[in-house]
Each structure stands twice: as structure tokens, then as C-alpha cells.
Amino acid sequence: MLGTRGLYMKANYQDLGRYQDVDLDISGDAEASLPILIEQVKRGIDEGRKAAFDARGKKLAAAKLATVEQAKLDATIGWDASPITTARLCAELYSQIKDEDWSLVGTSIGLARPHRLWNFTKPYQWNGLAGGGGVGYTLPASLGAALANKRHGRLTVAIGGDGDFMFVPSTLWTAAHHQIPMLYIVHNNRAYHQEYMYLQAMAARLGRGITNADIGTTIKDPLVDYATVAKGFGVYGEGPVSDPNALAPALKRAIAMVKSGQPALLDVVMDQR
Amino acid sequence: MMIGSVKRLAAATAIAAAIAIGGAVASRAEDAPAGDLVNGKRLYLADGCFECHGRAGQGGRFNYLTPALAQIALPVESFIAFLREAPNDMPSFSADVLSDKDAADIHAYLSSLPGPKAAKDIPPILNQ
């Protein structure tokens, strides 16, 4: 098998054989298969190539460290701002979970901060996004992943958009009913924000109404109280948190609830991205 | 603003590259143009700049990372040229929807926003 020019492995059978020009398509679980495959590949490396790989690895590691340092510096901009920056939320959350066996199972569309700031070393620490960018995916998909994590005792966290949350909020009842521990943070930017951005871009391109992109894309008047919604489904809910200095204590309380085996929702009023 | 002889598309491309490699930038306060900060802030919010670049100018993401604009490094003429012929998904703002004067006010506001702090003073950042 290792003599093949290209190997493509993916759990989603619908992607099998599509688009990739490879010698061998395998439908399989990368998490289960990769450790064996990696060991096979290591055994096939001669000394000359090993030295080249080591040198390349050192360069990549240095570049990664520089990227993380830049991300940390970027994260300080607007640190004390309200609405809370997404960078602060991600930094505060990671600071409290990094020593746990954590698993990030969902993020709001376009939220890039965790992958810039956090150290992902295990396959289950990130399970991807909706394939088609579908709105409404994050809450139910996160709960499915939380169910899978439950028997391993992992600390499951997700950060989902408020617009996304509006589609299947009854997922919270399922979480309460089956006692599935998960910290669900509502990235509350009070909008279907991806739509807002596209509308604004198109309005600017066509030279019209660039100040009207909030029509039909924002969630205000009235504002939604997501913590109360959660409580209505029997889930611990707290928020809206808009004071950045109140964020860390609120995260601590919610994480304690999750570690006790229960789902928890934290509504954080955050900047858009 | 006088940008008459600027080859806008070429300028926009060069500026995009400058932004891409910008990262943390030194303060350009000494070069900040005279502008109306209050009007600049109003427009930055009303015209939706903050939707991708953040209320604090901290940057964010649309279909790719969107750069931080606090303590903007671009000179005002280049900033205006960039707005007129923005690349990728960044909206282009014609003079019909955003005058040179208003764009300069936004630039002045961005120049006034605080840049990065020392990460050593922020425990959660150190703990990453």
C-alpha cells in the first residue's frame, strides 16, 4: 500500500473517489488509522530523507511559533472592549480548559481565533465545520459530538453563533434529557452575520444603500435572552455577558457545571468576528 | 484627496500585500492626517467597516482573515485608493457612496485606535 503515489482516506463515503487524483481510495476513520499509517511511513524513511524532514520540521515549528506569537499580540487589541472581542473569549476559554482533556466541537462561521491561539494535538480536539456552511448546524452537530465524547470523559466545548442557534434551539432539551455535558457558548453578535457581510459587500459593489445591510440580517428589537431560553429547556444558562471582566468568572461557573455532567449555555455579547 | 495619478489597481494590489504582511505595526500617529475622528467613528460603524475589522480595529475574518486596522500603517492616499479598488471580497467603495473626505475621516479614526498591548500584562494571553 505504501508504494502507492497517493493515498486518500476519509470517513465520509460521499467524498470517496471524488475530485482526488489518487492511486488508492480508502473509506476509513483517520483517527483510528493514522497512528498505524504514520508508523509505517516512519519505517520507510531512510537516513537522508529523515535529516531533510527534521530540518523542514524545525523550520515549520519556528514558523508556527511566530504565528502564535503574532496571534497573541493581535488578541490584545480591544482586550477591554465591550462587546467582547472574539480573541478575548477564545483566550479566556482556553486558559481555563487547556489542562483538561478538551474537545472543541463547533465554532461560529468564520471564527478563526481558536486555531490561531490554541494548541491542537489530538484528532478529537476539533471536528470541523458544516460542509456547506449551513446555518443551524453548530448546535445539534456539537451535541452529537458531545455525546460521542461523554463516554471518554472529555470536556466538550462549542462556540456557536446566535443566528445559528435560532434554528434548532430544542437541541438543548435533548442535552438536558440525556444529560450530555457540553459547554455551549453563544457568540452573540446579534445578527445572521455572514449574511450581513455579503449584503454589505454587494451593496457597496453596486453603489447603493451601504448603510441598510442590517435590514433582515440582525437579531434585535427585541434582543434574544439565550440564557432564559436555555433555562426553559432545563439547561444551566448564564448571560448575556457583555462586561469583559465578568467573562472569566462566568466561564468558570459554566465549566464547573459541565464537569459535573450537565450541559451549560453561556451567552456572550461579542464583536462580530 | 489627490490621488489622480495613482494607478489604482496596481496600488490596491501593492497595498493588499502590505496589509498581508503588516501584522503588528508601529504607531503612525506622527503621520496621521488631519481628520474628523467623530465623523470617522460614525462612518466606521454606520458603513459596516467594523463588521469585518472589529469595533476596536482588531481584525477578524470574512472568507479569509481580515486585517487589524488599529494604528493603520497605510498613508491616507493609499487607504483611499485601496477602498476604491478593493480586492477579493472586500467591498469597493466608490466616491458616490464614500467621499474622499469621509474616507480620510475613517483613516484618522483608525489611526487613533490603540494598537496591541504588551501580552506580558495579560495572564490569559500568556497562558495560551
Side-chain angles (χ1 to χ4, degrees):
Chain A
M1 181 177 75
L2 289 175
T4 56
R5 179 173 55 85
L7 169 68
Y8 179 69
M9 183 187 298
K10 195 163 185 180
N12 186 349
Y13 71 92
Q14 291 175 316
D15 288 341
L16 197 61
R18 298 176 68 187
Y19 313 125
Q20 292 79 24
D21 179 21
V22 296
D23 296 324
L24 187 60
D25 279 330
I26 298 176
S27 179
D29 182 344
E31 183 175 350
S33 308
L34 271 179
I36 301 167
L37 186 58
I38 289 168
E39 287 307 311
Q40 289 279 353
V41 169
K42 281 180 178 173
R43 276 198 285 273
I45 299 172
D46 61 36
E47 284 303 313
R49 289 177 66 82
K50 184 175 184 306
F53 290 166
D54 287 346
R56 187 166 65 190
K58 284 177 183 168
K59 283 185 185 175
L60 289 172
K64 171 66 177 173
L65 279 177
T67 302
V68 171
E69 289 307 309
Q70 183 63 55
K72 287 182 182 179
L73 196 62
D74 291 346
T76 66
I77 303 176
W79 183 257
D80 297 315
S82 179
I84 296 166
T85 65
T86 56
R88 177 151 188 178
L89 179 277
C90 294
E92 296 274 16
L93 175 60
Y94 188 60
S95 179
Q96 295 198 29
I97 66 171
K98 66 189 289 279
D99 296 325
E100 309 283 348
D101 187 18
W102 58 270
S103 174
L104 177 65
V105 297
T107 59
S108 47
I109 296 172
L111 181 63
R113 303 285 181 181
H115 288 88
R116 296 182 68 199
L117 289 166
W118 300 12
N119 189 21
F120 291 79
T121 59
K122 300 181 178 71
Y124 58 79
Q125 286 179 328
W126 170 241
N127 72 335
L129 296 164
V135 182
Y137 170 90
T138 309
L139 179 56
S142 297
L143 188 66
L147 177 60
N149 280 337
K150 181 178 178 179
R151 68 189 173 96
H152 299 288
R154 296 169 187 155
L155 178 59
T156 302
V157 299
I159 307 164
D162 54 336
D164 186 283
F165 178 91
M166 297 283 273
F167 282 72
V168 201
S170 59
T171 301
L172 292 179
W173 180 88
T174 307
H177 181 73
H178 294 288
Q179 296 190 6
I180 303 170
M182 171 177 71
L183 170 58
Y184 199 84
I185 296 169
V186 177
H187 173 180
N188 187 354
N189 56 25
R190 294 176 169 152
Y192 298 100
H193 188 65
Q194 190 78 353
E195 298 306 312
Y196 186 115
M197 297 167 95
Y198 277 114
L199 278 181
Q200 210 258 358
M202 290 308 297
R205 187 174 301 170
L206 299 173
R208 66 186 187 202
I210 60 172
T211 60
N212 293 331
D214 63 325
I215 298 173
T217 57
T218 49
I219 307 170
K220 55 190 179 185
D221 192 21
L223 302 174
V224 179
D225 183 346
Y226 296 99
T228 298
V229 172
K231 290 171 190 168
F233 284 119
V235 168
Y236 173 88
E238 184 170 341
V241 178
S242 52
D243 176 359
N245 294 320
L247 180 59
L251 281 168
K252 189 174 183 180
R253 289 188 290 273
I255 290 169
M257 183 61 61
V258 175
K259 289 174 79 171
S260 76
Q262 300 297 314
L265 178 143
L266 189 62
D267 173 7
V268 183
V269 179
M270 276 192 270
D271 214 349
Q272 267 55 19
R273 283 288 185 266
Chain B
M1 287 304 132
M2 294 299 293
I3 57 170
S5 64
V6 175
K7 294 179 180 178
R8 291 179 175 176
L9 184 58
T13 304
I15 294 159
I19 285 181
I21 63 173
V25 296
S27 169
R28 296 290 303 255
E30 69 277 12
D31 299 328
D36 183 340
L37 299 183
V38 174
N39 189 48
K41 179 179 182 178
R42 181 186 67 79
L43 290 165
Y44 186 74
L45 298 175
D47 289 355
C49 312
F50 79 99
E51 303 288 349
C52 297
H53 297 284
R55 287 177 174 83
Q58 75 271 28
R61 186 181 175 90
F62 186 20
N63 290 321
Y64 43 80
L65 292 178
T66 51
L69 298 179
Q71 289 293 309
I72 187 167
L74 290 179
V76 64
E77 291 84 359
S78 304
F79 176 69
I80 295 171
F82 185 82
L83 290 176
R84 302 295 184 231
E85 299 280 356
N88 301 322
D89 292 323
M90 164 81 188
S92 291
F93 293 87
S94 71
D96 292 336
V97 297
L98 188 71
S99 70
D100 284 358
K101 163 68 170 61
D102 284 344
D105 288 348
I106 293 173
H107 185 274
Y109 173 63
L110 294 172
S111 300
S112 76
L113 290 174
K117 293 182 179 183
K120 65 181 176 56
D121 298 330
I122 303 175
I125 291 287
L126 290 178
N127 202 19
Q128 301 301 296

